[in-house]
Amino acid sequence: MRRFLIPALMLVLAIAGPATAATPETLVEERARAEWGAQLPEGAEIRVRVNGRRPEDAVMFSDYWMDRKTGQFLANAVLENGQVQRIGGLVWASIAVPVTTRRLMPGEILRDADLDDLDLPLNRVGAYTVVDRTALVGMQVRRMLPQGRPVMQQSVIKPLVITRGDRIEIVFDDGQVRVSAPGRSLEDAHRGQELRIVNLVSNRSLVGMATEPGLVEIVR
């Protein structure tokens, strides 16, 4: 059966016209991207390792199989002379993830110098791992961040301008009348976040919006 395979492939290639040869790694990457499709996040890179003896170039794969969980693959590579060579190996997706360059304590503000990029296999990146480095710069550390580890979404917050128990100024301004009163915050809040407060004059609980450090504007 095999003696008929090579002439048949050569005939197909002749009918299709000259094909551009590529490395086996390139052909595997094309197949893997097609297999994973929309599951690949933006910025992901495909890594390929071919085991054992491999051809320098191939025109196409006549057969291709890949285990999407383990990344193991087998392929029949069609060479430029029409011969077929079986190859196998491993293919995986990786992505650059920001990691901390030093240990960071709660309350610190993340700077770009506090971050570095680490290339990790996609299956080691959790659903709550922050992958956008720019999204971390300027954020406040909520939980201690060990050095050299990816940052989880729940470990950082927008910088707080008011913390629970702070003495604050309560302001009401409708454009015509502006009044203020002393108060105390009952919750933490970042700029633009609503929080519960208490008016120290009337002893009433209110909901306001943190606008500046120590300043809360009544919104309802």
Side-chain angles (χ1 to χ4, degrees):
M1 179 69 179
R2 183 175 176 80
R3 67 178 182 272
F4 297 110
L5 180 60
I6 293 176
L9 286 172
M10 293 182 69
L11 178 61
V12 171
L13 294 175
I15 295 174
T20 302
T23 64
E25 289 82 0
T26 299
L27 296 177
V28 172
E29 178 181 348
E30 291 175 353
R31 289 296 190 99
R33 286 190 179 277
E35 287 269 354
W36 282 318
Q39 293 181 4
L40 280 177
E42 185 178 354
E45 297 287 339
I46 303 296
R47 312 294 183 187
V48 181
R49 185 177 69 222
V50 179
N51 297 331
R53 189 170 64 91
R54 57 179 292 285
E56 290 296 323
D57 296 295
V59 176
M60 65 177 185
F61 289 155
S62 60
D63 290 292
Y64 178 83
W65 172 87
M66 182 181 80
D67 186 324
R68 297 178 66 173
K69 290 185 177 180
T70 66
Q72 292 180 316
F73 73 88
L74 290 173
N76 289 331
V78 181
L79 311 186
E80 290 184 284
N81 60 7
Q83 291 184 331
V84 177
Q85 181 175 334
R86 171 66 64 88
I87 62 171
L90 192 66
V91 55
W92 69 97
S94 67
I95 190 168
V97 174
V99 296
T100 52
T101 58
R102 63 183 180 91
R103 186 172 67 170
L104 290 146
M105 303 305 293
E108 292 193 70
I109 303 299
L110 278 163
R111 304 168 300 160
D112 188 66
D114 296 322
L115 301 168
D116 200 358
D117 293 324
L118 179 65
D119 201 46
L120 286 179
L122 201 57
N123 59 10
R124 288 181 53 193
V125 179
Y128 297 102
T129 302
V130 180
V131 297
D132 183 1
R133 179 170 174 165
T134 60
L136 286 174
V137 176
M139 296 291 278
Q140 183 174 329
V141 178
R142 182 183 179 192
R143 301 173 182 170
M144 191 272 289
L145 301 178
Q147 180 179 350
R149 299 286 296 275
V151 180
M152 301 295 106
Q153 295 174 8
Q154 59 270 31
S155 297
V156 294
I157 56 174
K158 292 181 180 180
L160 296 176
V161 294
I162 292 175
T163 57
R164 181 178 179 180
D166 280 355
R167 186 73 177 259
I168 58 170
E169 180 185 2
I170 304 171
V171 174
F172 174 79
D173 189 348
D174 65 359
Q176 296 180 341
V177 177
R178 177 184 172 88
V179 294
S180 65
R184 190 173 301 279
S185 65
L186 301 177
E187 297 174 308
D188 298 336
H190 57 74
R191 183 176 279 106
Q193 182 179 6
E194 290 188 357
L195 73 159
R196 293 181 300 114
I197 57 176
V198 61
N199 185 318
L200 294 180
V201 176
S202 65
N203 204 33
R204 288 182 56 196
S205 294
L206 304 167
V207 174
M209 178 182 293
T211 56
E212 299 291 341
L215 189 65
V216 174
E217 184 177 337
I218 298 301
V219 292
R220 64 173 184 269

